[in-house]
Amino acid sequence: MEKLKQRIEKDGQVLSSSVLKVNSFLNHGIDPELIDAIGQEFASAFTGQGISKVITIESGGIAPAYAAAGYLHVPMVYAKKAEPSTMSHPLSASVYSYTKQKTYSICIEEELLQKGDVVLFIDDFLANGGAFEGIQELVTKSGARLGGVGICIEKAWQDGSALVRRSGIPLCVLASIASMSRENGIVWNH
Ligand code: G4P
C-alpha cells in the first residue's frame, strides 16, 4: 500500500535494525484518514471470504481493526491483556512475546466469538508471530475459525512472516519490510 509506505518513510523512525517507530500516526498517535484507507484496503482484500468478525489485541491493532470491520460491515472485538471484573465468561489464551521474552494472557468475553464465526485477525506489526499464535488459540477455543490475517507492517525477516504463511491462512500485508537500518533506512519487499 503506497500511501502507508510513503507515510512510514516520511514520519517513521528506524530506531534499530529491528525496531520501527510509527507512533505519530499508526499505533499511538492516530491519523484517521490513513487508518480509514488501511481499513478499506483490508476490506477489499477479504471481501467475499465470509468474514463475520474482526479481532485484534489491544492496543496497536485496535484502530486498523476497527476501520477494517467498518468497511466489511461486521463487528470487531479486541482481546484484552488484563481481565476486567465485569467480564462474566472470559475465554483466554496465552501470548508469548519474543520481543519482551515473557508470556501474558489475553481474554475476551466468550459470547463475542461464536462457533461458525469466520474471523479476520488484524494487527499493526507482524514481528515474531506471538500475537498470531495467541489469537489462533483463542479463536480455536471458541469454536470459530481464523479465516484471514491482515497486517499493516511486516518485518519479513522475523519469524512471524514464515509462521503465518506456513499456516495457509490467507494473509494480506500492506507494507513488507525486507530489512532496515538507521544508516540506510528501509528496504521494501516488492
Ligand atoms: P508479534 O507482534 O509478531 O507477536 O511479535 P512480538 O511478540 O515480538 O511483538 C511484541 C510487541 O512488540 C507487540 O506489541 C508488537 O506489535 C510490538 N512490535 C514488534 N515489532 C515492533 C516494531 O518494530 N515497532 C513497534 N513500534 N512495535 C513493534 P504489544 O506488546 O502487543 O503491545 P501494543 O504496542 O500493541 O500495545
Side-chain angles (χ1 to χ4, degrees):
M1 181 186 174
E2 274 320 302
K3 191 172 176 165
L4 175 59
K5 288 188 197 173
Q6 283 168 9
R7 187 60 180 273
I8 293 168
E9 286 184 347
K10 181 170 160 277
D11 293 329
Q13 283 174 266
V14 179
L15 296 186
S16 70
S17 59
S18 61
V19 181
L20 174 68
K21 185 172 175 180
V22 287
N23 76 355
S24 64
F25 56 95
L26 185 64
N27 60 8
H28 183 41
I30 303 280
D31 176 340
E33 283 171 23
L34 178 68
I35 295 292
D36 185 71
I38 285 173
Q40 243 176 317
E41 198 80 13
F42 283 137
S44 69
F46 290 101
T47 289
Q49 300 197 23
I51 300 296
S52 61
K53 227 153 255 177
V54 173
I55 195 165
T56 190
I57 302 180
E58 65 177 348
S59 61
I62 292 178
Y66 169 78
Y71 280 105
L72 285 164
H73 307 289
V74 298
M76 170 248 177
V77 56
Y78 66 90
K80 293 182 175 247
K81 289 175 177 166
E83 188 185 313
S85 57
T86 50
M87 204 176 266
S88 24
H89 298 103
L91 183 69
S92 63
S94 52
V95 173
Y96 180 68
S97 169
Y98 299 85
T99 304
K100 296 173 184 165
Q101 300 218 330
K102 64 172 194 192
T103 301
Y104 61 92
S105 283
I106 53 170
C107 62
I108 59 164
E109 188 77 73
E110 193 177 37
E111 68 184 24
L112 294 178
L113 270 192
Q114 277 154 7
K115 242 186 210 116
D117 268 328
V118 181
V119 184
L120 170 62
F121 170 51
I122 300 275
D123 214 351
D124 53 348
F125 276 96
L126 177 59
N128 292 290
F132 165 74
E133 288 181 308
I135 285 293
Q136 225 181 358
E137 185 189 335
L138 198 73
V139 169
T140 304
K141 272 186 181 172
S142 74
R145 176 170 71 81
L146 198 54
V149 177
I151 298 294
C152 298
I153 305 170
E154 163 190 61
K155 293 182 290 179
W157 68 94
Q158 294 187 326
D159 292 345
S161 176
L163 185 76
V164 177
R165 285 175 170 84
R166 266 201 314 273
S167 74
I169 297 168
L171 169 67
C172 171
V173 173
L174 302 186
S176 177
I177 301 176
S179 65
M180 61 187 186
S181 68
R182 284 168 67 108
E183 301 72 34
N184 302 316
I186 294 172
V187 178
W188 300 105
N189 278 314
H190 27 259

